[in-house]
Amino acid sequence: MSYELIGITVLWLFLYGYLIIASIDFGAGFFAFYARLTKQDHLINRLISRYLSPVWEITNVFFVFFYIGIVGFFPDTAYYYGSALLVPASIAVILLAIRGSFYAFENYGSKKSLVYLFLYGATGLLIPASLSVALTMSEGGFIVKQGETVSLDYWELFTNPLSWSIVGLAIVSVLFISGTFLTFYASRAEDHAALKLMRNYALFWSTPTIILALTAFIYLGQHNERHFQNMMDLWWLLGLSVAFFMIAMWLIYNGRRYGLAFICVMLQFFTAFFAYGIGHYPYILDPYITVQSSATTPAMGFALVAAFIGGLFLLIPSLILVFKLFLFDADYVKGKK
Amino acid sequence: MSSLDPVLMSRMLTGLTLFVHIVLATIGVGIPIMLALAEWRGIRTGDNHYTLLARRWARGFVITVAVGVVTGTAIGLQLSLLWPTFMRVAGKAIALPLFMETFAFFVEAIFLGIYLYTWDRFKNKWTHLLLLIPVAIGSSASAFFITSMNAFMNQPQGFELVDGVFTNVNPFVAMFNPATPTKVSHVLASAYTTSAAALASIAAFNLLRGRKHVYFKKALKITVVSTFVFAVATVMIGDFSGKFLAKYQPEKLAAAEWHFETMTEAPLIYGGFLDENNNIKYALKIPYALSILAGNNPHQEVIGLNEFPENERPPMSVHYFFDLKVTSGAVIVLIPLLYMFRKKLPGKKPYPKWLLISILALGPLSMSAIWLGWFLAEIGRQPWIVRGYMKVSDAATTSTSVGWMLVLFIILYLVLSVSAIRVLSQLFRNKSAEEEIRTLGLDIEGGDRK
């Protein structure tokens, strides 16, 4: 396998990792705020903060990691996406900044404030919406290139049903993934009140997730024939995705094996995400950037792959340690430690 | 607003983000070392006051880390958003340190999370302390990688420029360029100094407010002595940096010193100002000092600004940054020295008010020295973004919205700074150290040998 192919595969894996853990994080923020509004916060707040407190910083690193990785492996992306996305990406950065710092202010500061919690909860939904612009843009047709000046066509972006269906899909997926994870976490904590609430949230958000996934897929077909056709050729991956979704729903509905249910949700998104990614290949930004045309110099490419392998030796044991301490330690989850 | 020059706006926005981020990044690199020192003393001497000290520092540290992470994310993205051409071209040579930095950051984030949530979880006290090792290594390694990238921009090597494209790149040669050793060590030492100094300021502040508990005196001692050690190291490395500049980046040193004619036995200019004809007025001239600074030898030849075309000279204002920074450095060494000899000073009080006020000034002083140092380093390589290869004006975005983004980010950083300061001060006011010592029963349990 060539280094640029290794690069894009690894980056896609990391983006997937970010998608899952950020969704848990973003959704949890929204649920925490919503529960406070509906006066149910006593049921879930402790659960949410016990999981989130040790990991919020790690979530952010996943994002930075993907981002630096893609710019490093494919410097042309910095040029095109950087030029075109100045406004949406700056807004995403501002939202991330508000979210990250107000989470810390709310949790480690001494004053509990509804304003802080609102900022934390609302940004949790706006961030996926603003980040999804990059995904929409990659389908092509949203960039205007005049000479050496690259800019985003906002009119096209805001009037295109594809961009809105992707935004919608991003938001409901966040709530669905987060809901199923927190259901699992509540069941581990043997916190029955929280479990009941989170299970309702998970079931509620499953329907819009699957509907919007289908909608986005249809609009993709109208917008980018090539990508759509490639994904149709990967029908078995999409079929697997739907199957995992159904297993997860069946488990949650029947109130059993929540851990397995969450794994199924992860696999559901994994298969769909990779079908989407493989279908997109070889383009990173249709039609300007392909994996091959934008790759960095071979020496840098190999250095990055080597750094990556070395880094994983540090990263994987560390992540396992975190999971062992905060996710799979029954006493900690139950609040005894 | 949109008609304003995107290059200038991009420079201002990048500068603003770094101005905010550098405060938090500096603290992020240095505080883990201080945490480890306090916790280690606590375990070694069995004196729980030190453990409490580490615990209280850690509580405030979380807030600064949180804001530091978000400003760091901002600058990470702004590199591509504001300087797309730079990243496209130079990215081929500097992606490696940038990528490694995120790994170091990853390790730091993971272990900091564990450290903060496991204070009472391990039976062996040393286990918890050991968690700080990866945190400290992670944060210092982040500083190493990111500074080596900046060093590359000052002293580029490890590639060939063919038709505007970097080819034949050797990532390691680029990373370990001649500027890397002095830059990295100066950044690390000054970060340790500033963090120790900031904590010393807090301890002095508490003593000034009339709090007499021995806890604060211990806090003062451990922080001021550390400040001294780190500050001496910083000054020594700073001297190496001067010699480095003389050899590799003479136009920066010459601009900082208003040194126009190449000559031996060059004098050092302190203060003063320049008139329109570049004549120096009201400055203090120290004979031979610049030659000694540049090469440890009064007869050393120092290259002057006149050797460089006028459109490739840095702005002359960097002279003031240099003077102020060097002066602060000297004061930061002097104040802790006075503290250490306080018993030999005239007067009867062990903690005279003037001494405490000077220690209080240590934190702000060293923070300003950091800013001044970065102004000198960054403005001093103008007009280049990659010295000798790419000018700043060719690297910036062409977008017309940069001005609006600048406004948004100004508002953001104002809100963040004000909120962070409020939250931090509330955090310590609501639960005073004396109260905590009482509730935890630390005075009875021992360790407190007056």
Side-chain angles (χ1 to χ4, degrees):
Chain A
M1 210 147 86
S2 58
Y3 69 89
E4 64 263 23
L5 204 57
I6 297 177
I8 196 72
T9 312
V10 159
L11 290 172
W12 201 243
L13 264 171
F14 259 85
L15 191 59
Y16 166 76
Y18 179 66
L19 180 117
I20 295 294
I21 61 169
S23 294
I24 294 174
D25 186 31
F26 292 148
F30 178 76
F31 288 136
F33 170 67
Y34 180 76
R36 171 84 70 93
L37 273 191
T38 52
K39 302 217 164 20
Q40 290 173 305
D41 49 328
H42 57 284
L43 294 179
I44 55 168
N45 263 7
R46 215 177 53 103
L47 183 80
I48 289 178
S49 73
R50 260 191 111 64
Y51 165 73
L52 283 183
S53 302
V55 302
W56 61 265
E57 211 188 331
I58 302 175
T59 312
N60 210 52
V61 186
F62 263 88
F63 175 63
V64 176
F65 195 94
F66 166 75
Y67 169 79
I68 296 294
I70 194 147
V71 171
F73 270 106
F74 308 100
D76 281 358
T77 56
Y79 181 69
Y80 281 93
Y81 282 96
S83 300
L85 289 178
L86 176 70
V87 175
S90 293
I91 291 172
V93 171
I94 288 172
L95 292 171
L96 276 169
I98 292 175
R99 186 182 154 79
S101 21
F102 283 87
Y103 174 75
F105 297 163
E106 160 80 12
N107 273 269
Y108 306 116
S110 48
K111 203 171 114 221
K112 299 287 166 222
S113 152
L114 189 64
V115 180
Y116 291 179
L117 198 61
F118 168 74
L119 288 172
Y120 177 57
T123 49
L125 296 188
L126 293 172
I127 294 168
S130 62
L131 290 180
S132 66
V133 174
L135 219 54
T136 313
M137 205 180 107
S138 74
E139 294 302 334
F142 298 99
I143 277 191
V144 193
K145 195 176 179 202
Q146 289 162 322
E148 280 302 295
T149 311
V150 173
S151 54
L152 190 60
D153 184 348
Y154 286 97
W155 176 253
E156 178 62 29
L157 184 73
F158 284 117
T159 52
N160 196 310
L162 175 67
S163 39
W164 290 109
S165 56
I166 290 183
V167 165
L169 178 62
I171 293 176
V172 294
S173 309
V174 158
L175 294 170
F176 176 59
I177 293 173
S178 185
T180 46
F181 174 79
L182 289 168
T183 307
F184 154 67
Y185 201 60
S187 80
R188 274 208 68 96
E190 290 170 20
D191 184 341
H192 299 290
L195 174 62
K196 208 175 141 217
L197 189 66
M198 290 319 306
R199 185 174 160 267
N200 284 339
Y201 288 158
L203 289 172
F204 178 83
W205 289 107
S206 63
T207 321
T209 302
I210 209 75
I211 291 174
L212 276 163
L214 208 64
T215 319
F217 191 53
I218 291 166
Y219 282 125
L220 177 69
Q222 293 177 3
H223 188 86
N224 188 333
E225 177 70 23
R226 180 197 65 87
H227 192 179
F228 180 79
Q229 212 47 55
N230 284 350
M231 278 177 83
M232 287 307 271
D233 293 344
L234 293 164
W235 59 269
W236 54 277
L237 263 180
L238 297 172
L240 268 178
S241 177
V242 175
F244 282 125
F245 171 74
M246 280 157 65
I247 298 172
M249 289 332 292
W250 186 78
L251 288 170
I252 293 175
Y253 187 76
N254 286 308
R256 49 202 275 203
R257 306 291 302 272
Y258 292 112
L260 186 64
F262 180 66
I263 290 173
C264 285
V265 170
M266 278 172 72
L267 290 171
Q268 173 204 337
F269 279 88
F270 184 84
T271 43
F273 195 67
F274 269 78
Y276 177 89
I278 298 168
H280 209 305
Y281 184 84
Y283 288 102
I284 297 180
L285 171 62
D286 208 342
Y288 298 103
I289 312 177
T290 65
V291 168
Q292 285 78 11
S293 73
S294 66
T296 185
T297 57
M300 182 55 87
F302 284 119
L304 289 178
V305 171
F308 187 80
I309 293 167
L312 280 186
F313 277 105
L314 275 175
L315 214 60
I316 291 172
S318 315
L319 282 172
I320 290 175
L321 184 63
V322 172
F323 286 145
K324 239 182 93 182
L325 284 169
F326 299 110
L327 198 57
F328 297 112
D329 186 317
D331 283 341
Y332 174 80
V333 181
K334 286 175 196 161
K336 287 182 191 153
K337 270 186 187 168
Chain B
M1 172 134 298
S2 60
S3 60
L4 287 175
D5 176 22
V7 178
L8 181 66
M9 292 288 126
S10 298
R11 281 185 64 192
M12 285 170 75
L13 182 45
T14 311
L16 174 73
T17 304
L18 283 172
F19 181 78
V20 180
H21 180 62
I22 210 158
V23 179
L24 304 148
T26 299
I27 291 175
V29 170
I31 299 274
I33 307 281
M34 295 305 293
L35 285 175
L37 190 63
E39 219 194 318
W40 176 71
R41 266 206 77 109
I43 299 174
R44 268 297 296 274
T45 62
D47 184 341
N48 287 324
H49 284 158
Y50 287 108
T51 313
L52 180 65
L53 197 59
R55 231 179 151 128
R56 287 178 64 87
W57 286 345
R59 228 175 275 156
F61 183 51
V62 175
I63 307 274
T64 61
V65 168
V67 187
V69 168
V70 301
T71 53
T73 310
I75 190 63
L77 267 93
Q78 280 173 355
L79 271 182
S80 300
L81 296 173
L82 300 174
W83 310 98
T85 313
F86 164 69
M87 285 305 281
R88 182 192 210 174
V89 177
K92 291 188 170 152
I94 52 172
L96 183 67
L98 209 57
F99 195 57
M100 303 272 271
E101 196 268 349
T102 60
F103 268 118
F105 177 35
F106 227 134
V107 170
E108 181 197 350
I110 287 173
F111 283 92
L112 188 65
I114 301 178
Y115 177 77
L116 292 171
Y117 286 87
T118 51
W119 277 97
D120 304 309
R121 231 173 129 172
F122 303 113
K123 285 204 186 73
N124 187 344
K125 282 179 178 172
W126 291 97
T127 315
H128 188 245
L129 174 60
L130 288 178
L131 287 170
L132 273 175
I133 294 174
V135 177
I137 293 177
S139 57
S140 294
S142 290
F144 170 83
F145 291 123
I146 215 69
T147 312
S148 80
M149 174 180 150
N150 179 275
F152 170 85
M153 291 159 76
N154 279 285
Q155 207 57 48
Q157 65 172 35
F159 63 92
E160 280 168 48
L161 196 67
V162 181
D163 301 329
V165 180
F166 280 28
T167 45
N168 270 342
V169 171
N170 185 333
F172 292 96
V173 175
M175 201 161 118
F176 294 98
N177 58 74
T180 302
T182 42
K183 268 209 182 243
V184 168
S185 49
H186 199 51
V187 161
L188 286 177
S190 59
Y192 300 151
T193 312
T194 306
S195 306
L199 296 173
S201 293
I202 297 173
F205 178 72
N206 282 318
L207 283 165
L208 272 173
R209 298 233 340 231
R211 300 161 106 171
K212 294 220 165 60
H213 199 282
V214 66
Y215 167 87
F216 299 112
K217 291 169 190 162
K218 287 175 190 168
L220 192 72
K221 187 170 181 190
I222 192 172
T223 52
V224 177
V225 173
S226 315
T227 309
F228 178 75
V229 174
F230 294 137
V232 169
T234 313
V235 169
M236 283 165 62
I237 298 164
D239 182 54
F240 294 141
S241 306
K243 293 181 172 46
F244 163 82
L245 285 183
K247 194 168 170 198
Y248 289 96
Q249 231 178 325
E251 79 279 15
K252 192 189 269 183
L253 184 70
E257 284 304 328
W258 291 345
H259 179 67
F260 293 96
E261 299 291 337
T262 301
M263 61 163 109
T264 57
E265 289 146 38
L268 189 115
I269 314 267
Y270 186 84
F273 68 89
L274 278 184
D275 64 13
E276 310 85 68
N277 306 320
N278 279 350
N279 291 317
I280 302 159
K281 297 239 165 105
Y282 307 112
L284 185 68
K285 273 192 189 172
I286 310 169
Y288 306 114
L290 186 59
S291 283
I292 295 173
L293 177 79
N296 275 345
N297 175 0
H299 305 294
Q300 175 75 34
E301 186 183 71
V302 185
I303 296 169
L305 267 179
N306 291 347
E307 312 282 322
F308 297 89
E310 225 163 301
N311 63 352
E312 287 180 13
R313 288 184 201 168
M316 293 297 117
S317 59
V318 291
H319 174 67
Y320 299 108
F321 299 136
F322 185 76
D323 281 359
L324 283 171
K325 160 183 132 133
V326 170
T327 315
S328 327
V331 176
I332 296 163
V333 173
L334 191 68
I335 296 173
L337 205 60
L338 284 175
Y339 165 86
M340 291 192 288
F341 287 105
R342 67 189 181 283
K343 282 171 191 152
K344 301 223 165 78
L345 296 173
K348 287 209 174 92
K349 284 187 182 165
Y351 297 96
K353 202 170 176 186
W354 62 266
L355 183 63
L356 289 177
I357 291 176
S358 325
I359 296 174
L360 180 67
L362 271 181
L365 249 178
S366 36
M367 204 62 245
S368 346
I370 297 258
W371 277 321
L372 291 165
W374 274 108
F375 290 154
L376 169 66
E378 296 305 294
I379 300 173
R381 77 178 144 94
Q382 294 301 321
W384 302 105
I385 191 164
V386 181
R387 182 174 165 268
Y389 292 94
M390 184 189 256
K391 287 202 168 161
V392 168
S393 48
D394 301 323
T397 180
T398 43
S399 170
T400 46
S401 319
V402 191
W404 290 111
M405 295 303 111
L406 177 61
V407 174
L408 276 182
F409 274 97
I410 290 176
I411 299 172
L412 172 76
Y413 295 139
L414 279 177
V415 171
L416 285 188
S417 315
V418 171
S419 317
I421 292 168
R422 263 187 51 197
V423 168
L424 277 173
S425 60
Q426 273 169 4
L427 192 67
F428 291 105
R429 224 178 292 134
N430 283 7
K431 206 171 183 186
S432 77
E434 293 95 329
E435 218 178 291
E436 230 176 312
I437 291 168
R438 231 176 295 123
T439 39
L440 293 171
L442 294 188
D443 277 345
I444 313 156
E445 268 180 28
D448 184 14
R449 300 177 292 260
K450 275 183 195 170

